[in-house]
Amino acid sequence: PVADQPLTITYDASLGTAGLKDCNCDVYIHTGVILPGSREWQNVPTTWAEANDAWKLTPVSGQPNKYTYTFSPTIREYFGVDAATAIEQVAMVFRNADGSLEGKAAGGADIFVDVSSGDTLSLTLTGDPGTETYPLGKALPVTVGSTSEALLSLYDNDSLVATTTGQELNYSVRLTDPGEHTLRATASAGGSTVSDSFAVAGQLLVEILQPTTSVVNGTVGQSVTVEATSYVVADLQLVTGATVLAAKTDSLLTETIVLPAAEVIKYTITATYRGETASRTVVYITGEPQVAQLPDGATPGATPMDNGDLMMVLRAPGKSDVFVVGNFNEWSPVIGSRMNRTPDDSTFWLQLPADALPDNDLLYQYALDNQGRYADPYSTLVLDPSDDPFISEETFADIPDYPTGKAEGVVSWLRLDVPDYPWRFDASELPDPKKMVVYELLVRDFLADHSFRSLTDTLDYLDRLGVNTIELMPVSEFEGNISWGYNPSFHMALDKYYGSPEDLKALVDAAHSRGMAVVLDVVYNHAFGQSPLVQMWPGAESFVPGPDNPYANVTARHPFSVGTDLNHESALTKEYVKTTLTYWLEEFHVDGFRFDLSKGFTQTDYGKDVEAWGRYDASRIAIIEDYADLVWSVNDSAYVILEHLAEPREEEELARYGNGMYFWSGFQPHDAYLQASMGYGEDDLRPALSANRGFSDRNLIAYIESHDEERMMYKNLAFGNSNGDYDVKDLPTALDRVELSNVLFYSLPGPKMLWQFGELGYDYSINRCPDGHIDESCRTAPKPIVWNYRENADRRDVYNTVADMLYLRNNYDYFHGEITSSQLGPGNIKYVHLDSDDGQAAVFGNFGVTAQTISNPFPTTGTWYDYLSGDSTSVSDATSGMELAPGEYHIYLSQRIEPMGGRLSTSLNDRNVARLEFGVFPNPNAGRLTTTFTLEQRAEVTLTLLDLMGRPVSQLYRGTLPAGPHNLPGQLDDLPAGTYFLRLTDGSTAAIQRIVIR
């Protein structure tokens, strides 16, 4: 592209992040340019989430997922860049009308196209098919384009295949030799030559032209035509069994056949060319499947039976014939894999005998009528040829090879020889839901290797912080790898990008050993186009539902739906949701669910009316209560958390139902806390309290940040207020403001939630792009992982302050008592006075940027103890004012309590120390010590020395020890004097002792 010429681009929505693949929507461009001296987008003419026709792409006729767009009259004029400024690149992101879907480069990066000034000769060769191989003899269209007139030449390896003089050369290359080919283009003008190239391997391929599907229903005696091409002149044969029906040397073979009485007839076309052989098979089905009642107790999906057989059940109303194909029958329908059809025509089932199954991994799909092949909607694992190559052995070992050439699309994977997981800990003492401290995290952006295994190793960090509940953003199979997970395709399959089922089980088990709950974020409002629930009953396109779809709505019933809206009044959808929820509870022992977009569980058609959608909906309440009943029938203590944000009386009714449901707080009090933290303290923090949101009990889970909300520290540093030398934009001051906000947050009664790294003052915007610029299109893009923040003393202060607050919450009742007085509304001075069984608390702070006076810091006279400093003060007049510097805060208690959160231990640690009989002597010591402990059973033991921030200093022992008492000597002569932690783990339980080296 030349800056002073127009540019037409073609966007393939199936590539990169594929966020707009099969979206069945209008596609818009969001664009800018990169100018010299900056990597930030400049001269951005588009507005995110605005449906302006000037920014809408044109679909390419007959090519799904391809769109074109032209920058005219020139690139320079389109972006309004003056003639003196060079344009280095055009930057692009693609979206749907409201910006809820986006398409970017692989890894979530923006898309960039280099731009030439036209002053020097430049060349581009396009047409790379994007695959390692390409069929021999099949036309491969390529285009050679130069920035000015030149002699253009195109070579296949070193053989010249086309040449012209001009600025463009179009040619269809046909590869004739198997093996590697380098297609190279050159442009020569004025003594200068430039080139561009790409490589592709030629491969012999047979393509069946007729029939258009590989499995076809027919009738006995019917005449059918089989037509296939090899693209190159080859020795072609049409074979059935051992009989050759036709043979010729050509690139095309056509034969008419009369179907015999057999139920399954395979016809194979084989091509032989220069020592290479390729084949394709077409199968004709005659007759009707057996009609039989579904056996008692059979449930959807693939279920191993006690006798070693496998029961396979598919709900497929409206379909006539289904075969199971897979690695047990060479991926081709056979008599033994034809499924029975129930008398009501709703369900297909098959009992595969044990001796027909492979030893370890069953890979399979359902061949459905003449329609195609689909993975099982009830898969527990799947293979995806697009995503799996990017999953390392370290994350998930021994993923089977995808059956390339035998299957297309997603394949179901059932592991047949996996030993039962040896669960060690039950969640018998889950946190009181009204005292939850939930840590919401996205594994992808929390740990560099994005693995459950590393998260298990990180539980001590969260335990020291005082977290008692972990909420994982969606881990069920979603489209792509680089995602938040809210684009689900298989709700019952674990997404392999985070690890194996055993890794997730070990995480839950280890969390339970610490008294921590694990909650899964689940997404049942919708499914995306890769889901069989959508594809098996398609509409005009395979990725959108048709009117006969028993699971999904053709048109969403509410304005915030993405993907395909599910019909929660359908009996099949209810069964699907209940079955998959049961699976996660029973298989992984998780402790509950956070239901994403639960307000969408309705068939009331709200169209685009956002206000109406939030009103009381009795049908929606009934659906949610039905799902909650199922959850509690499996685990009566499981948490049911809703992202609902509906009318208060609807949420209150759900909160009072059964064991009680809990609710995300939404953009308030988030907005208010961020405004207050920035120093604009006229904001109302009262929405953080359940009573101020219409609840009769503490059923509101309030949060300052969530995955959906902007980060407090980013706002502080970018937009903080100032007065004189006091500037919220200064890093230490901004972090102090985060401490202030957290103190006036965790002191309020009711369950609380924090977003990952909030305890360290995470300061990257939610809209940060991988290259550093800020744009809403990058909301779900990967974000920096900041464990290095623990090295900063000011950030450690934030961690310790949060940990100290949570230590109080987890071990005392001060912040779970009753509020006797408060000022949380508009005003810079905010305070809360509480009364509890443990005594009284007075918490207050100055959110202004100038000194302020609090007129009634204490609720009563007497002696008050500053929790964080340890100081005490005698109050003779409770109404006597106290001046507070900007950002100053205090936590006063009616008794002295040493702050221990994050530094030494918790009551849970004390129990673990007692259970393991964990002791260290002498303590203090001069570098030599002995550790004593008792194991209940044989276990792998690790003894690690940590510094005061919990970072490993030295591993003193690692090995497997038998049950019984043990004494391990240790030598620490080379370490500087000071205080350390000694951590003992027995595979799942961890206990910590503080030691002093002199």
Side-chain angles (χ1 to χ4, degrees):
V2 177
D4 294 315
Q5 296 177 6
L7 166 64
T8 297
I9 56 100
T10 301
Y11 167 58
D12 187 338
S14 67
L15 301 181
T17 58
L20 290 161
K21 179 183 178 182
D22 301 337
C23 73
N24 193 35
C25 63
D26 290 333
V27 174
Y28 295 81
I29 193 169
H30 185 54
T31 186
V33 288
I34 305 300
L35 304 178
S38 173
R39 300 309 302 161
E40 301 290 325
W41 285 33
Q42 307 285 335
N43 296 54
V44 177
T46 53
T47 302
W48 192 260
E50 183 177 314
N52 188 322
D53 285 346
W55 311 328
K56 186 163 67 174
L57 279 71
T58 302
V60 178
S61 178
Q63 298 188 53
N65 290 313
K66 288 194 176 179
Y67 306 82
T68 64
Y69 188 80
T70 299
F71 300 89
S72 65
T74 67
I75 298 173
R76 185 178 301 282
E77 291 175 86
Y78 180 93
F79 289 101
V81 179
D82 64 75
T85 302
I87 300 174
E88 294 184 348
Q89 292 176 313
V90 174
M92 292 170 279
V93 170
F94 300 92
R95 61 172 176 86
N96 63 348
D98 63 7
S100 58
L101 302 176
E102 63 181 17
K104 308 182 79 172
D110 297 346
I111 299 167
F112 297 96
V113 173
D114 292 337
V115 176
S116 170
S117 64
D119 297 337
T120 59
L121 182 64
S122 299
L123 174 76
T124 298
L125 171 65
T126 62
D128 187 340
T131 57
E132 292 183 1
T133 62
Y134 195 78
L136 293 175
K138 186 176 183 179
L140 175 58
V142 299
T143 298
V144 182
S146 62
T147 53
S148 59
E149 187 168 294
L151 175 63
L152 304 179
S153 301
L154 178 65
Y155 298 85
D156 177 0
N157 288 333
D158 292 324
S159 298
L160 178 67
V161 295
T163 185
T164 190
T165 299
Q167 285 186 259
E168 186 170 307
L169 168 63
N170 295 290
Y171 189 78
S172 289
V173 176
R174 295 181 188 271
L175 307 178
T176 57
D177 297 316
E180 292 294 327
H181 289 256
T182 298
L183 297 184
R184 178 172 54 90
T186 63
S188 300
S192 176
T193 299
V194 293
S195 66
D196 192 12
S197 65
F198 64 82
V200 66
Q203 183 181 40
L204 181 63
L205 179 78
V206 172
E207 182 176 339
I208 295 176
L209 305 178
Q210 189 176 348
T212 55
T213 59
S214 60
V215 180
V216 186
N217 286 336
T219 58
V220 176
Q222 178 185 356
S223 293
V224 297
T225 299
V226 176
E227 184 178 37
T229 181
S230 57
Y231 294 108
V232 292
V233 175
D235 292 328
L236 302 177
Q237 283 190 338
L238 175 64
V239 179
T240 180
T243 304
V244 177
L245 300 179
K248 64 187 301 189
T249 300
D250 201 343
S251 62
L252 183 69
L253 185 147
T254 302
E255 186 72 12
T256 300
I257 302 163
V258 177
L259 296 180
E263 291 180 308
V264 179
I265 313 102
K266 295 183 183 178
Y267 296 100
T268 300
I269 298 90
T270 301
T272 303
Y273 173 81
R274 297 189 180 181
E276 300 285 327
T277 299
S279 64
R280 284 290 185 272
T281 297
V282 60
V283 178
Y284 282 93
I285 310 297
T286 60
E288 293 292 324
Q290 292 291 321
V291 176
Q293 289 286 358
L294 184 68
D296 291 342
T299 57
T303 306
M305 304 176 70
D306 292 340
N307 65 356
D309 291 357
L310 186 69
M311 177 60 69
M312 309 188 78
V313 178
L314 175 69
R315 304 291 193 201
K319 306 304 178 183
S320 60
D321 205 2
V322 181
F323 286 78
V324 184
V325 297
N327 62 346
F328 68 100
N329 63 4
E330 297 182 347
W331 295 93
S332 183
V334 295
I335 293 297
S337 72
R338 196 175 199 177
M339 303 185 82
N340 302 290
R341 188 173 66 207
T342 58
D344 63 359
D345 294 334
S346 71
T347 303
F348 292 81
W349 65 274
L350 176 68
Q351 185 170 332
L352 274 177
D355 58 8
L357 297 171
D359 292 335
N360 297 312
D361 298 312
L362 173 65
L363 310 180
Y364 70 97
Q365 292 178 316
Y366 293 118
L368 199 68
D369 291 345
N370 293 340
Q371 186 178 322
R373 299 184 177 194
Y374 306 92
D376 190 339
Y378 286 85
S379 300
T380 55
L381 287 169
V382 299
L383 301 183
D384 187 320
S386 300
D387 299 343
D388 294 354
F390 302 98
I391 299 173
S392 69
E393 278 282 314
E394 291 73 24
T395 299
F396 196 138
D398 301 323
I399 297 174
D401 292 335
Y402 183 84
T404 303
K406 301 174 182 178
E408 293 183 359
V410 175
V411 167
S412 296
W413 171 25
L414 179 66
R415 302 183 301 168
L416 297 173
D417 189 28
V418 179
D420 291 338
Y421 181 81
W423 291 99
R424 299 184 62 192
F425 296 93
D426 291 324
S428 56
E429 296 183 19
L430 287 181
D432 179 343
K434 293 178 174 54
K435 297 180 180 180
M436 281 190 293
V437 180
V438 183
Y439 195 92
E440 187 194 15
L441 65 88
L442 173 61
V443 182
R444 183 197 75 186
D445 289 351
F446 191 57
L447 298 155
D449 70 351
H450 53 79
S451 76
F452 294 130
R453 248 185 312 229
S454 289
L455 183 55
T456 303
D457 293 339
T458 312
L459 290 179
D460 283 346
Y461 170 86
L462 299 177
D463 192 11
R464 287 194 303 275
L465 181 62
V467 167
N468 58 30
T469 303
I470 298 170
E471 182 178 300
L472 299 176
M473 284 176 67
V475 298
S476 63
E477 183 70 25
F478 47 81
E479 298 192 354
N481 290 326
I482 308 301
S483 171
W484 277 3
Y486 295 105
N487 52 339
S489 51
F490 293 83
H491 292 83
M492 196 161 130
L494 181 68
D495 198 294
K496 305 184 299 298
Y497 191 66
Y498 299 140
S500 71
E502 290 68 41
D503 293 338
L504 177 56
K505 291 174 184 179
L507 169 64
V508 174
D509 208 20
H512 288 169
S513 76
R514 295 163 170 79
M516 301 166 76
V518 178
V519 170
L520 298 186
D521 195 341
V522 289
V523 189
Y524 288 109
N525 172 79
H526 53 267
F528 269 60
Q530 201 174 57
S531 169
L533 301 185
V534 179
Q535 291 188 348
M536 289 198 299
W537 294 270
E541 303 284 353
S542 64
F543 48 83
V544 296
D548 62 338
N549 193 304
Y551 289 95
N553 295 314
V554 175
T555 303
R557 295 297 195 263
H558 62 89
F560 277 78
S561 187
V562 295
T564 292
D565 187 44
L566 295 183
N567 174 2
H568 286 274
E569 288 186 358
S570 160
L572 288 188
T573 301
K574 290 177 183 288
E575 176 187 53
Y576 179 76
V577 173
K578 292 178 182 180
T579 302
T580 55
L581 289 173
T582 300
Y583 172 75
W584 291 106
L585 289 166
E586 293 182 341
E587 184 71 15
F588 295 97
H589 293 200
V590 298
D591 305 301
F593 304 98
R594 179 261 189 191
F595 288 88
D596 180 69
L597 204 58
S598 59
K599 193 165 61 177
F601 296 4
T602 178
Q603 280 300 100
T604 304
D605 193 352
Y606 292 106
K608 300 296 183 183
D609 192 335
V610 177
E611 181 180 355
W613 180 43
R615 295 177 192 145
Y616 185 89
D617 185 333
S619 65
R620 176 169 57 208
I621 292 173
I623 289 167
I624 293 172
E625 289 178 348
D626 186 33
Y627 291 156
D629 285 339
L630 177 281
V631 171
W632 292 325
S633 73
V634 180
N635 179 356
D636 61 6
S637 62
Y639 305 142
V640 176
I641 302 169
L642 306 180
E643 185 199 29
H644 208 60
L645 310 176
E647 185 177 313
R649 69 181 177 126
E650 180 171 323
E651 296 193 347
E652 168 67 2
E653 185 172 329
L654 291 168
R656 302 278 60 76
Y657 182 77
N659 295 346
M661 303 184 211
Y662 293 79
F663 297 83
W664 267 33
S665 59
F667 66 90
Q668 288 292 14
H670 156 81
D671 286 0
Y673 271 96
L674 264 61
Q675 286 294 109
S677 181
M678 286 187 288
Y680 308 104
E682 299 299 315
D683 288 275
D684 192 344
L685 307 185
R686 288 173 293 184
L689 294 167
S690 294
N692 292 323
R693 298 284 287 269
F695 293 104
S696 59
D697 206 345
R698 293 169 181 173
N699 288 73
L700 181 73
I701 300 178
Y703 48 83
I704 294 175
E705 297 171 345
S706 76
H707 72 265
D708 271 334
E709 316 295 346
E710 186 56 274
R711 315 302 172 213
M712 175 176 281
M713 265 299 288
Y714 169 74
K715 294 291 287 283
N716 282 358
L717 294 172
F719 307 108
N721 199 359
S722 64
N723 182 68
D725 293 336
Y726 187 85
D727 189 348
V728 177
K729 294 187 183 72
D730 291 339
L731 180 65
T733 304
L735 290 166
D736 288 344
R737 305 287 296 198
V738 173
E739 292 179 37
L740 165 66
S741 299
N742 279 286
V743 163
L744 266 297
F745 175 69
Y746 291 111
S747 55
L748 303 183
K752 298 287 182 284
M753 188 183 83
L754 70 157
W755 169 245
Q756 64 186 29
F757 296 129
E759 72 281 2
L760 293 172
Y762 192 84
D763 48 12
Y764 290 100
S765 170
I766 191 175
N767 295 320
R768 182 187 187 272
C769 298
D771 66 358
H773 85 275
I774 308 301
D775 192 287
E776 270 192 61
S777 67
C778 297
R779 177 166 289 248
T780 62
K783 299 297 185 288
I785 298 171
V786 295
W787 289 104
N788 59 302
Y789 278 8
R790 294 178 299 166
E791 307 295 330
N792 181 285
D794 292 315
R795 294 186 187 277
R796 287 201 303 271
D797 286 346
V798 177
Y799 177 95
N800 289 332
T801 300
V802 172
D804 287 333
M805 295 297 292
L806 298 186
Y807 177 76
L808 270 184
R809 282 184 63 93
N810 293 338
N811 294 279
Y812 299 89
D813 281 337
Y814 289 105
F815 301 151
H816 306 298
E818 298 300 323
I819 295 177
T820 58
S821 177
S822 67
Q823 164 51 39
L824 298 170
N828 287 319
I829 293 294
K830 301 185 191 294
Y831 74 86
V832 60
H833 296 161
L834 304 106
D835 192 13
S836 71
D837 291 341
D838 285 320
Q840 294 179 298
V843 183
F844 48 84
N846 175 13
F847 283 90
V849 294
T850 60
Q852 305 277 327
T853 298
I854 179 172
S855 59
N856 56 337
F858 301 98
T860 63
T861 59
T863 301
W864 289 86
Y865 300 90
D866 191 318
Y867 171 56
L868 296 180
S869 71
D871 296 337
S872 63
T873 184
S874 180
V875 177
S876 57
D877 180 1
T879 63
S880 177
M882 178 188 297
E883 184 174 83
L884 300 175
E888 183 178 354
Y889 60 85
H890 291 278
I891 306 152
Y892 279 98
L893 306 176
S894 56
Q895 63 171 310
R896 187 187 301 279
I897 294 176
E898 180 184 355
M900 299 171 70
R903 295 174 173 79
L904 178 59
S905 68
T906 65
S907 58
L908 170 64
N909 184 59
D910 294 340
R911 292 200 299 271
N912 290 343
V913 168
R915 188 178 72 79
L916 291 169
E917 300 176 5
F918 180 28
V920 182
F921 68 89
N923 191 16
N925 63 79
R928 296 176 183 269
L929 54 81
T930 297
T931 303
T932 64
F933 55 91
T934 300
L935 297 177
E936 297 173 350
Q937 60 188 35
R938 181 180 176 87
E940 182 177 339
V941 171
T942 304
L943 191 65
T944 308
L945 189 70
L946 311 172
D947 66 14
L948 287 176
M949 277 303 293
R951 294 168 297 199
V953 174
S954 175
Q955 186 174 98
L956 304 185
Y957 179 82
R958 183 170 185 173
T960 301
L961 296 174
H966 296 277
N967 294 273
L968 292 179
Q971 186 166 330
L972 308 172
D973 293 341
D974 296 333
L975 291 175
T979 301
Y980 297 85
F981 292 121
L982 194 62
R983 180 178 66 189
L984 172 71
T985 64
D986 66 350
S988 55
T989 301
I992 295 175
Q993 291 278 28
R994 183 171 65 179
I995 65 170
V996 176
I997 300 175
R998 289 178 173 169

